Amino acid sequence: MVKYTITSRFQATEAFRDHPHTGVDLAMPEGTALKAIVEGVIRTADYGSSSTGKTVFIDAADGRTYIYGHLKDFSVSDGQSAHVGDILGHSGNTGHSTGPHLHFGIKEHGEFIDPTPYTSLIQRMDQLKGAAHATVNSGLDALEMLNQALSQFTQTLSEMTLNCISLLLENRTVSLISDIVLSWLC
């Protein structure tokens, strides 16, 4: 489902640009919460009325820098760790802009690369946090993890019960208690 229309593509050479476009522009209402699509460390910049205006950069472990431009405001600060689904700020119309939108770009080894394959993540950014946390611990989903934990708890509880019974049986002075416990369990 396309939630945000791409209004300018990577390397586009529109009449109002003095160089090819370094990202993609996605039309969205001003104030739309913009969320991290990757984990990384935050940098922010405010270019005023030029370039991408208020901009958030996520320096990710994959060596790429993910760029969110023309923001209305920041919800993060320099040096902060970003996690998938964290709100970075809100879409706006800052910098050199013709209307409210998100400029989304990616740099790899200092060069801009086509971010188009990642726009599906921007389209689904409201759903990413749940998806990122539903699959953890070597690919197990939350229900499988709960079932494993309950199974392990049950096994441990059974072993503890058997150990208690063994201790009671070893102690001849509490044979009456052990007889009661054994009759109760059997």
Side-chain angles (χ1 to χ4, degrees), residues 36-155:
I37 63 166
V38 294
E39 312 263 327
V41 178
I42 297 291
R43 286 185 294 121
T44 61
D46 188 343
Y47 299 111
S49 62
S50 66
S51 187
T52 51
K54 290 183 177 166
T55 305
V56 171
F57 303 89
I58 303 175
D59 295 322
D62 65 5
R64 295 178 175 155
T65 299
Y66 296 78
I67 304 161
Y68 296 70
H70 303 296
L71 278 64
K72 176 181 178 180
D73 56 39
F74 298 121
S75 298
V76 291
S77 55
D78 289 336
Q80 179 180 337
S81 290
H83 304 284
V84 172
D86 287 354
I87 296 177
L88 305 172
H90 298 88
S91 63
N93 191 22
T94 62
H96 184 69
S97 174
T98 58
H101 72 284
L102 168 66
H103 168 87
F104 178 66
I106 302 175
K107 268 190 163 183
E108 184 175 53
H109 307 297
E111 300 292 325
F112 287 102
I113 64 169
D114 186 1
T116 304
Y118 294 85
T119 58
S120 64
L121 295 173
I122 297 293
Q123 299 288 356
R124 297 181 299 115
M125 65 185 161
D126 288 333
Q127 303 159 359
L128 290 180
K129 189 166 196 158
H133 295 290
T135 303
V136 290
N137 198 7
S138 301
L140 298 178
D141 71 17
L143 185 58
E144 288 175 323
M145 287 174 42
L146 177 61
N147 285 336
Q148 284 186 0
L150 285 173
S151 176
Q152 188 173 11
F153 173 76
T154 302
Q155 182 179 354

